[in-house]
Amino acid sequence: MASQNPFADPLRFDRRVPECALVIFGANGDLTKRKLLPALYRLAYERRLPDSFAIIGNSRTPMTDEAFREKMHESVKEFLEDSPFDEELWSNFARNIFYVAGDLNDAKLYADLKKKLDELNRPNVLYYLSTQPSYYGPVVEAIGAAGLGRSTEKGWHRVVIEKPFGHDLDSARALNARVHSVFPEEAVYRIDHYLGKETVQNIIAFRFGNGIFEPLWNRRYVNHVQITAAESIGVEGRGAYYQEAGALRDMIQNHLLQVMATVAMEPPAVFEPDAMRDERAKLLRSVKIMGPEEVHLHSVAGQYRGFREEKGVDPQSQTNTFAAATFFVDNWRWAGVPFYIRTGKKLPKRTTDIAIQFNSAPHTLFSSEDGRAPRPNLLILRIQPEEGISLRFLSKYPGAGMRLRPVSMDFNYGSSFGERSPSAYETLLMDVMIGDATLYTRQDMVEASWKAVTPILDDWSQRVFDFPNYDPGTWGPAESDAMLARNGHKWRNG
Ligand code: BG6
């Protein structure tokens, strides 16, 4: 049925947010000013928010409503990226922006919030936790203790929790128990902004909206998959957080395993939030858990030269700023196919893509132009900053004889649609407020992805690495190439 295809459901794009108040904890932080407020402004610009939409910012810094509005005004103008800024629209939007100062550990803050929420009297309330992760548990409990967590007859109360959800499997479980003591699972939205990216959602459209790729999407045709999320920047003033997290926790446990699940999951029977999430969860549960003796073969840690000199970083730091791992999926579709994932800071450029390398043609009739064995087909799903899809195949080189050369067929979002793509936060904020959890992470997925990385975390926490081991502007340590070379593979450094 056509209506089961998400991208054929026009209602998904026409929906509007119901009357609602959004409380942002951590409103003085980077995420609020760079991502959340610009995304909310943009939703207002598109008339998706009701005029009464209210925002209450909280942080410790004392500030008047006016001062907070002014700060957000500057941030939105600065970080809006690809949209026009309309002063008139802003002044209407800003009338319903408020600020409540207070310490997250202080019960008075929650009493003040209650007062403000009662005064505003919006039927639905969304709490957004963009604080330091150690506050997630205490804030949720304090919301509960103040009687602010329960949905009422008038409307829903939901909570968005930023990543990282826990520091390891046990802490993720413990946090979950605390969150569930106040909010039922259907009110908990664990955000992973990668899933909100248009190009990541397009993986679903590409796989399940087309008839010709899915039959090839398995171990019979796919040789291996490479998922790369490279950043050219360093830790940019987040040294203190990053020093505790490291690349494996910061990017692989959440964003990249979710991307892998989207690439590798089975087709859901219907496009409904839980059907989609069930498939992603099932895939994550099928990731083969490495034995302790396999960790050395299947993972690589790196740290760029200069990281130890960054602000907030221990001069002896053992934190990884580069992480690569080989995962296998234990199911009929993928048994034996390596999924290589790598991510790092201070790599040569910012690029995120997924390269699906197919098996070579079973019998080679031709040699390539340079006399080497012909290159196999490669499908590249480009997530960012280029957005599109390329398919590499072989073509006859013009002239006498039969010489082959790889060429590529490209789809590019910008030139094909000529439309602006909404930011991940626009999509995800809209989704939580209309109650669509498709692109949010469920607790079982969080646990499954922690399980997948636990052997690596355990091993790395015992090791003393010879860090730093890569220069800024390179593709990470040499061991990363060696990890693939053991299987006769090579990273695509395009
Ligand atoms: C965040 C990480 O979740 O994602 C950052 O904490 C990283 O370290 C960022 O830089 C990357 O996001 P994007 O959307 O720029 O690829």
Side-chain angles (χ1 to χ4, degrees):
M1 253 167 58
S3 64
Q4 288 173 354
N5 175 345
F7 299 94
D9 173 10
L11 280 182
R12 182 175 159 83
F13 300 102
D14 285 346
R15 284 184 202 148
R16 281 171 53 91
V17 169
E19 251 202 282
C20 165
L22 164 66
V23 180
I24 304 177
F25 294 98
N28 214 6
D30 249 23
L31 186 78
T32 305
K33 69 175 194 222
R34 284 174 187 269
K35 302 285 182 195
L36 301 183
L37 259 291
L40 290 163
Y41 167 83
R42 180 69 206 191
L43 291 174
Y45 181 85
E46 290 186 353
R47 308 273 181 273
R48 289 174 187 273
L49 301 182
D51 290 343
S52 60
F53 184 78
I55 299 173
I56 307 171
N58 158 261
S59 76
R60 253 196 330 222
T61 319
M63 230 187 300
T64 61
D65 289 342
E66 257 325 306
F68 183 59
R69 285 174 192 155
E70 191 40 43
K71 222 171 130 81
M72 293 302 113
H73 178 239
E74 291 315 301
S75 306
V76 171
K77 268 173 51 183
E78 183 179 352
F79 295 109
L80 198 51
E81 288 175 5
D82 53 357
S83 306
F85 186 80
D86 178 337
E87 289 289 351
E88 198 181 322
L89 181 95
W90 173 262
S91 53
N92 277 332
F93 177 67
R95 273 189 296 135
N96 282 318
I97 299 184
F98 306 93
Y99 184 78
V100 174
D103 189 315
L104 296 170
N105 291 320
D106 185 353
K108 178 171 179 311
L109 165 64
Y110 304 89
D112 291 348
L113 282 174
K114 185 167 185 335
K115 216 166 105 207
K116 190 78 209 168
L117 285 167
D118 286 345
E119 196 183 296
L120 292 171
N121 195 27
R122 304 291 191 269
N124 304 299
V125 182
L126 177 63
Y127 300 99
Y128 199 113
L129 269 53
S130 160
T131 62
Q132 278 180 33
S134 55
Y135 281 113
Y136 296 163
V139 170
V140 168
E141 283 170 354
I143 290 173
L148 292 171
R150 293 268 161 244
S151 293
T152 61
E153 277 175 8
K154 284 199 309 189
W156 47 256
H157 284 204
R158 297 182 181 140
V159 62
V160 175
I161 303 180
E162 265 295 333
K163 65 160 268 268
F165 198 91
H167 192 71
D168 52 21
L169 181 60
D170 289 344
S171 55
R173 283 181 171 153
L175 175 58
N176 199 47
R178 294 176 85 173
V179 171
H180 279 171
S181 71
V182 177
F183 292 98
E185 178 63 22
E186 65 270 18
V188 182
Y189 286 70
R190 299 172 193 81
I191 195 163
D192 185 312
H193 79 278
Y194 265 58
L195 290 174
K197 290 180 190 278
E198 283 287 309
T199 41
V200 173
Q201 293 180 67
N202 191 42
I203 299 171
I204 301 166
F206 180 80
R207 288 190 56 199
F208 306 135
N210 295 294
I212 62 170
F213 301 107
E214 204 48 28
L216 307 179
W217 218 256
N218 56 53
R219 63 194 300 273
R220 198 157 162 218
Y221 298 99
V222 174
N223 184 274
H224 70 274
V225 178
Q226 299 184 10
I227 301 178
T228 298
E231 293 184 281
S232 52
I233 55 170
V235 291
E236 308 292 297
R238 294 162 75 225
Y241 153 77
Y242 200 83
Q243 140 110 349
E244 293 303 312
L248 182 64
R249 283 193 173 90
D250 186 48
M251 292 289 291
I252 296 186
Q253 183 273 335
N254 35 69
H255 303 322
L256 300 182
L257 282 173
Q258 288 293 336
V259 168
M260 173 174 151
T262 310
V263 169
M265 70 185 194
E266 294 301 313
V270 287
F271 188 72
E272 282 172 4
D274 266 320
M276 293 288 291
R277 302 202 298 172
D278 284 346
E279 295 304 339
R280 289 211 309 276
K282 217 163 81 191
L283 190 286
L284 290 168
R285 280 199 301 272
S286 314
V287 172
K288 184 166 183 282
I289 306 297
M290 290 175 205
E293 69 297 344
E294 290 173 304
V295 174
H296 289 243
L297 291 174
H298 294 329
S299 70
V300 175
Q303 186 190 83
Y304 65 81
R305 232 165 243 83
F307 175 68
R308 291 176 173 179
E309 284 82 62
E310 304 259 8
K311 192 164 159 259
V313 175
D314 173 356
Q316 308 294 322
S317 173
Q318 285 286 315
T319 300
N320 55 91
T321 61
F322 174 98
T326 308
F327 292 104
F328 289 92
V329 177
D330 270 347
N331 66 15
W332 278 56
R333 187 191 280 265
W334 294 117
V337 177
F339 284 77
Y340 301 115
I341 298 187
R342 67 175 163 170
T343 185
K345 304 276 185 197
K346 294 263 183 187
L347 299 188
K349 60 179 180 179
R350 175 171 187 252
T351 184
T352 301
D353 59 32
I354 301 142
I356 293 151
Q357 180 159 328
F358 292 91
N359 288 326
S360 302
H363 174 59
T364 310
L365 294 178
F366 315 108
S367 61
S368 64
E369 202 211 335
D370 56 8
R372 288 188 310 175
R375 313 247 301 274
N377 295 119
L378 185 71
L379 179 73
I380 305 169
L381 308 173
R382 299 186 195 283
I383 305 299
Q384 64 187 26
E386 280 171 63
E387 301 184 322
I389 296 177
S390 307
L391 178 63
R392 183 180 78 189
F393 56 95
L394 293 175
S395 177
K396 180 181 177 304
Y397 190 76
M402 185 55 91
R403 290 183 302 161
L404 305 193
R405 185 190 264 193
V407 291
S408 105
M409 220 153 53
D410 293 313
F411 150 66
N412 174 289
Y413 262 86
S415 52
S416 293
F417 296 126
E419 290 246 349
R420 166 189 181 274
S421 296
S423 72
Y425 279 94
E426 272 167 72
T427 303
L428 294 169
L429 281 166
M430 180 76 192
D431 281 357
V432 56
M433 293 189 284
I434 60 176
D436 183 343
T438 311
L439 301 174
Y440 280 85
T441 309
R442 225 169 40 192
Q443 175 61 17
D444 53 348
M445 296 180 209
V446 173
E447 289 192 11
S449 36
W450 276 121
K451 279 185 194 156
V453 297
T454 296
I456 310 177
L457 288 172
D458 287 350
D459 182 87
W460 290 5
S461 68
Q462 308 293 319
R463 295 237 304 257
V464 179
F465 291 98
D466 191 12
F467 282 164
N469 61 353
Y470 71 97
D471 285 321
T474 66
W475 285 101
E479 290 82 356
S480 161
D481 295 327
M483 182 177 88
L484 270 67
R486 278 194 287 276
N487 298 336
H489 298 147
K490 195 165 180 285
W491 287 113
R492 248 190 77 252
N493 287 341

